[in-house]
């Protein structure tokens, strides 16, 4: 189930663990894990309006343990990294 957060500009970000819709089989769950980091998973966040999605590597329990502010900070940090200077 996606988690939605709204940033200071009013953009609603919908974040979901990568491969979440593939089912509960262990092989599919393993596909979402970050290689070399068993406690981290890939998460995709898409802004309202469908502009540019970002792919994040977050703690496995991000849905429950990360605050909205921390999630938005991760999104904006990734955007800054991907934007050419």
């Amino acid at each position: 189930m996606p988690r939605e957060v709204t940033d200071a500009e009013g953009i609603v970000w919908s974040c979901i663990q990568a491969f979440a819709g593939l089912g509960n089989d262990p092989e599919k769950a393993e596909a979402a894990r970050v290689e070399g980091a068993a406690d981290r998973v890939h998460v995709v966040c898409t802004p309202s309006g469908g502009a540019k999605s970002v792919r994040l590597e977050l703690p496995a329990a991000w849905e429950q343990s990360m605050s909205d502010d921390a999630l938005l900070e991760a999104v904006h940090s990734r955007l800054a990294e991907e934007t050419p200077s």
Side-chain angles (χ1 to χ4, degrees):
M1 182 148 140
R3 177 172 166 191
E4 292 187 345
V5 291
T6 305
D7 67 16
E9 289 85 40
I11 297 170
V12 177
W13 289 88
S14 179
C15 301
I16 191 163
Q17 187 168 311
F19 307 107
L22 296 179
N24 293 327
D25 125 9
E27 194 174 290
K28 306 238 176 19
E30 193 57 36
R33 299 227 179 269
V34 174
E35 188 175 329
D39 62 337
R40 298 185 69 76
V41 294
H42 291 283
V43 174
V44 177
C45 295
T46 304
S48 51
K52 181 171 172 48
S53 293
V54 294
R55 188 178 182 109
L56 307 171
E57 294 179 3
L58 300 176
W62 69 276
E63 292 170 294
Q64 297 84 24
S65 67
M66 282 188 86
S67 69
D68 288 354
D69 288 340
L71 184 53
L72 286 169
E73 183 178 326
V75 167
H76 288 287
S77 291
R78 175 58 83 189
L79 283 173
E81 289 173 11
E82 294 177 358
T83 303
S85 0

